[in-house]
Amino acid sequence: AVAEVKLRDDQYTLDHMRAFGMYNYLHLDSWYQDNVYYVDQFGRVMNVSVTLDTALQKPREVFRLPTDLTAYDNRLCASIHFSSSTWVTLSDGTGRLFLIKSGKRGNNASEKWEIVFNEELGSPFIIAHSVSFVKSDMRSVAVLLLRVEKDELDTKGSGFHITLEWVTIAEISKEGDHRYEIFKRRVLQGKSVPHYAAIEPSGDGLMIVSYKPFKFMQDEDNKLEEENDDAKATDEKKDPLYYWQQTEDDVTITVHIPQEITKDDIKVHFSPDNIRVTLKDQPPLMEGKLYSSVDHESCTWIIKDNKSLEISLIKKSEGPRWPELIIGDTRGEFIMDSSQCSEIAESLMHLTSEVMNPNPEKENPPCNAQELEECDAFLEDSASLCRFDGDTLKVTHVINLGSNQYLFSVVVDPREMPCFCLRHDVDALLWQPHSDQPENMWEHIATFNALGYVQASKQDKKFMTCAPDYSYAALCECLRRVFIYRQPTPLSTVLYNRKEGRQVGQVAKQLVATLEANDPILGFQATSERLFVLTTKTLFLIKVNPGN
């Protein structure tokens, strides 16, 4: 039987359920279609491949985990990821990572899986993603490990946080001896299990779709540096160098000056577009291009109470407000008087309303909540898609997905990153990330009409996927039922829409398969022709499309 690991009593949060309770125990080898793998209760990695149209070969063992899994109390399920056509990453669920050279896999290949790296990496994890790449003639494999860890500091939330560890293992040659060693380890932390997390094929970056943001945890040295930078920034923030106010006609600047400074020490130079203020022989206190022109001959300055210098600038053109005083200078602070505040509030009044939708009869209302049904509401307000740079560990792109609910991810081309599917209104759109194309980083490659709407009503859905050629999408419930949604296909007969009297050229079919099994569904994978559905003791094969 499949080595299913049930959630323990201390794994009670929604994040545990998402990461481990909804784990897909069936692994599709995208490099060799129609080959699936699972780990059985003896710790054997079993391969099942399709021989004839719907005939499955007997499961055959390709690898056996060296650890006796029954001896561990707090283990997770074993996880597999195919990094390339010849490399596999494998975790036994106890916190140990294996890097395996599998050679050519696939139909009747006499596979010999050979361990080239095997190390304990801390607390138990599952493999979220992995890629294999060559950089400067050095073979590397990058792996993303997912953990849900207890968070002692989190007293208000669930008491857990999520970590994603990005481990790079590289081939090191020492005196003719080739070995694989850990080259880099970086950790990201967040407060929700990511919907999607994948390393770019080049190993240079990382993309994450999650409800709550992730950020890199720095080493102690970096942390101190950052804290110093933060401290500097807050010091700078504390006291602005000058304060300024404006009316329609003039601008008043107030600068605090040391007590020993006298009138003779101060030099203020006005020109139509610039200002320069110097104290004694020091570098200029303020200098730069003004936001707009002034009548420089009418500008004045005085010293008030021996403590501050007050400068008055007369605007050349009355009326327009200046958003800044000196272009690019952020050291000053603008002070608005109460009459200006109420004036601005009044001018924005027409954009706000006391009523949620004051004029529902108006054409194209912004959003009509009545059109949404109960099943359309989903728990999370909005997820975001972030890309992290592997060198700087900084976020380079952030996209707020808003109400575009995340549905599933699928591998269309194993050489590219996995695609993700988002709900757009009633439809479901499939997006392919291209990390090497900054101008077209996410490409829309397929649409499943009305799938967003249809899937929302399936309360018991467990897994969802689509064929790599987009010919159908499929979802399964926790028990027995599988729904298949085909793309529209041309009709051989004539069909009319009775209501509108127009001829229908294409029709999209929905199929429902009911499995003869009482065990819950543990795994679900789709190829262009077939669907594989795994329960504890049975693997079902559903033929969806005829072979080409």
Side-chain angles (χ1 to χ4, degrees):
V2 177
E4 181 189 2
V5 179
K6 298 241 180 10
L7 292 180
R8 302 187 305 271
D9 289 349
D10 60 349
Q11 296 174 318
Y12 51 81
T13 68
L14 180 62
D15 286 319
H16 285 103
M17 188 66 204
R18 277 198 171 147
F20 315 129
M22 302 283 276
Y23 185 74
N24 194 339
Y25 284 84
L26 189 62
H27 306 277
L28 178 72
D29 188 348
S30 303
W31 304 86
Y32 302 95
Q33 286 274 346
D34 292 322
N35 267 278
V36 288
Y37 294 78
Y38 65 91
V39 179
D40 74 5
Q41 287 176 337
F42 297 115
R44 299 180 301 178
V45 177
M46 305 300 279
N47 162 255
V48 184
S49 59
V50 178
T51 46
L52 295 163
D53 224 15
T54 50
L56 284 170
Q57 263 191 346
K58 225 175 75 175
R60 62 191 180 97
E61 179 185 334
V62 291
F63 182 77
R64 191 177 293 226
L65 287 164
T67 10
D68 173 20
L69 300 180
T70 49
Y72 290 85
D73 292 338
N74 67 336
R75 72 185 180 94
L76 300 172
C77 50
S79 50
I80 306 173
H81 196 273
F82 299 99
S83 320
S84 78
S85 56
T86 53
W87 290 89
V88 183
T89 48
L90 181 60
S91 151
D92 60 5
T94 68
R96 185 170 283 278
L97 178 69
F98 297 90
L99 176 58
I100 293 166
K101 201 170 182 178
S102 65
K104 285 266 188 289
R105 302 184 295 269
N107 287 356
N108 305 320
S110 48
E111 292 174 52
K112 177 82 181 75
W113 287 24
E114 175 199 342
I115 301 174
V116 294
F117 172 90
N118 161 15
E119 213 166 290
E120 187 73 48
L121 296 181
S123 58
F125 56 82
I126 57 172
I127 298 172
H129 189 242
S130 68
V131 291
S132 156
F133 54 93
V134 176
K135 250 205 188 120
S136 52
D137 293 340
M138 188 168 74
R139 160 73 58 195
S140 299
V141 174
V143 197
L144 212 48
L145 316 177
L146 173 74
R147 296 181 174 96
V148 179
E149 296 180 328
K150 200 125 189 68
D151 189 339
E152 302 301 338
L153 303 170
D154 181 12
T155 49
K156 290 193 177 129
S158 66
F160 291 89
H161 62 232
I162 317 304
T163 61
L164 277 173
E165 186 174 4
W166 181 359
V167 181
T168 307
I169 300 160
E171 185 177 21
I172 315 278
S173 300
K174 284 182 189 157
E175 300 153 18
D177 182 26
H178 292 283
R179 294 187 48 202
Y180 281 85
E181 288 178 9
I182 290 181
F183 176 64
K184 242 187 211 168
R185 285 179 82 163
R186 292 152 289 188
V187 177
L188 292 109
Q189 197 173 301
K191 291 300 285 180
S192 71
V193 167
H195 296 304
Y196 172 99
I199 304 165
E200 295 172 358
S202 59
D204 291 334
L206 184 65
M207 287 187 200
I208 296 176
V209 176
S210 64
Y211 167 46
K212 300 249 176 87
F214 273 79
K215 64 171 191 288
F216 274 100
M217 307 309 290
Q218 261 92 12
D219 305 335
E220 289 306 309
D221 303 348
N222 294 8
K223 239 186 209 166
L224 286 173
E225 270 176 42
E226 279 214 349
E227 276 168 17
N228 291 343
D229 290 350
D230 288 350
K232 276 182 204 156
T234 46
D235 285 351
E236 283 167 18
K237 270 182 205 163
K238 266 183 207 160
D239 295 315
L241 183 63
Y242 57 87
Y243 296 92
W244 63 289
Q245 290 173 289
Q246 62 176 321
T247 65
E248 292 193 342
D249 319 310
D250 57 31
V251 176
T252 307
I253 308 162
T254 308
V255 187
H256 183 77
I257 53 172
Q259 275 189 331
E260 68 272 10
I261 295 284
T262 64
K263 194 174 179 183
D264 299 335
D265 298 330
I266 299 170
K267 287 192 174 59
V268 182
H269 175 260
F270 301 112
S271 72
D273 297 311
N274 286 274
I275 185 171
R276 186 171 72 247
V277 179
T278 44
L279 304 182
K280 273 193 173 167
D281 304 326
Q282 295 168 2
L285 192 66
M286 287 169 65
E287 182 176 29
K289 188 174 181 345
L290 293 165
Y291 177 76
S292 189
S293 302
V294 293
D295 179 359
H296 66 290
E297 287 173 357
S298 311
C299 298
T300 58
W301 61 271
I302 54 166
I303 293 178
K304 284 188 103 178
D305 312 330
N306 286 346
K307 283 188 195 152
S308 61
L309 163 69
E310 195 171 280
I311 303 168
S312 296
L313 307 176
I314 308 299
K315 292 181 180 177
K316 204 157 207 166
S317 47
E318 288 180 18
R321 285 182 196 285
W322 292 12
E324 55 183 341
L325 176 66
I326 297 170
I327 293 172
D329 188 343
T330 54
R331 296 172 304 164
E333 188 177 307
F334 175 56
I335 296 169
M336 204 184 284
D337 65 35
S338 55
S339 65
Q340 284 174 323
C341 284
S342 54
E343 215 176 285
I344 287 175
E346 217 164 280
S347 70
L348 297 176
M349 209 50 190
H350 70 287
L351 299 176
T352 63
S353 162
E354 293 294 314
V355 195
M356 271 300 277
N357 190 359
N359 186 2
E361 300 311 312
K362 196 180 80 176
E363 264 186 54
N364 300 335
C367 170
N368 189 345
Q370 280 117 4
E371 286 178 11
L372 292 177
E373 296 174 27
E374 198 179 329
C375 63
D376 289 321
F378 60 105
L379 294 169
E380 298 168 354
D381 306 329
S382 69
S384 57
L385 163 60
C386 297
R387 180 195 177 268
F388 291 87
D389 183 282
D391 293 328
T392 63
L393 308 187
K394 296 265 190 299
V395 176
T396 59
H397 298 69
V398 180
I399 295 170
N400 183 1
L401 299 178
S403 57
N404 299 119
Q405 181 188 358
Y406 174 88
L407 299 178
F408 62 88
S409 71
V410 65
V411 175
V412 165
D413 176 353
R415 290 178 298 274
E416 294 267 10
M417 294 177 80
C419 300
F420 52 84
C421 188
L422 304 177
R423 179 176 174 174
H424 289 250
D425 198 13
V426 296
D427 301 328
L429 270 57
L430 196 61
W431 298 87
Q432 172 69 68
H434 297 292
S435 52
D436 52 347
Q437 300 174 26
E439 299 309 307
N440 183 27
M441 203 170 261
W442 294 282
E443 182 194 358
H444 168 218
I445 55 170
T447 301
F448 296 100
N449 296 322
L451 181 64
Y453 181 74
V454 174
Q455 63 78 36
S457 65
K458 302 283 182 278
Q459 296 284 310
D460 297 331
K461 75 166 178 283
K462 185 169 186 181
F463 299 119
M464 198 169 172
T465 187
C466 73
D469 64 358
Y470 334 125
S471 58
Y472 67 92
L475 65 87
C476 70
E477 295 185 337
C478 300
L479 271 173
R480 287 196 204 92
R481 287 203 300 176
V482 176
F483 296 86
I484 299 162
Y485 305 100
R486 289 185 187 280
Q487 288 282 29
T489 48
L491 288 166
S492 52
T493 56
V494 178
L495 185 68
Y496 283 95
N497 180 324
R498 281 187 187 167
K499 241 182 186 175
E500 298 167 14
R502 64 183 172 82
Q503 190 175 336
V504 178
Q506 290 190 318
V507 80
K509 289 182 180 165
Q510 169 186 324
L511 312 170
V512 184
T514 304
L515 308 178
E516 293 171 21
N518 296 323
D519 300 320
I521 293 175
L522 296 181
F524 193 63
Q525 295 289 355
T527 65
S528 299
E529 291 179 25
R530 304 173 180 83
L531 256 177
F532 296 87
V533 189
L534 180 73
T535 67
T536 319
K537 301 190 182 74
T538 319
L539 176 65
F540 292 90
L541 181 61
I542 300 171
K543 187 77 189 282
V544 184
N545 290 322
N548 300 330

